[in-house]
Amino acid sequence: MAYAALVEKTVPMARGAFFAALMDLGAIARLAPDFIESCVVEGEGIGAVRRFRLKGGGDEVLERLDCAFDERVFSYSVVSDNSLGLDHYHAVVILSDAPGGGCHVAWGSNWTSRITPAAEVRETLAGLYATLIDAMVKG
């Protein structure tokens, strides 16, 4: 599948441990403090909603956990109108065991930008995904 934004990395972390870090939905503010100001999670498992605020103000963004399967697939969608300027945002994280240990992470998303040029959005999201992947490895 082609993604509008995609980061792929092999990390020195077991797939199950990385998946567990993804499932800690509320940790996003701690993992990406340069991007996220605060975060609150409502519910558990599929359908849980993560409410967060970006640094620099703006309205609250709501993301819903859509899929968490077999410690291999994790996906979420933005389910609120917000000032991000992105419509139809959906992200998928696919994990696989890497040869020689660790896991391969492919974090991609598709969306429609109504405010910012797509190239700028792609760069920002790729930076966010790389930051989150690195922070999950560091713990």
Side-chain angles (χ1 to χ4, degrees), residues 57-76:
D59 52 3
E60 191 172 59
V61 178
L62 280 67
E63 290 180 339
R64 178 189 61 225
L65 178 60
D66 295 327
C67 177
F69 178 72
D70 195 30
E71 295 184 342
R72 294 183 187 278
V73 180
F74 176 93
S75 72
Y76 59 97

Side-chain angles (χ1 to χ4, degrees), residues 30-93:
R30 177 180 53 79
L31 295 171
D34 292 342
F35 291 91
I36 309 294
E37 183 174 291
S38 62
C39 179
V40 175
V41 176
E42 298 172 353
E44 294 180 17
I46 305 303
V49 173
R50 169 168 58 198
R51 296 174 169 272
F52 65 88
R53 290 197 185 281
L54 297 171
K55 287 278 185 175
D59 52 3
E60 191 172 59
V61 178
L62 280 67
E63 290 180 339
R64 178 189 61 225
L65 178 60
D66 295 327
C67 177
F69 178 72
D70 195 30
E71 295 184 342
R72 294 183 187 278
V73 180
F74 176 93
S75 72
Y76 59 97
S77 299
V78 172
V79 293
S80 61
D81 288 330
N82 57 71
S83 60
L84 291 175
L86 300 178
D87 293 327
H88 315 292
Y89 177 92
H90 182 81
V92 178
V93 182

Side-chain angles (χ1 to χ4, degrees), residues 15-20 68-74 94-97:
R15 181 174 44 84
F18 195 91
F19 189 83
F69 178 72
D70 195 30
E71 295 184 342
R72 294 183 187 278
V73 180
F74 176 93
I94 298 174
L95 305 176
S96 58
D97 295 324

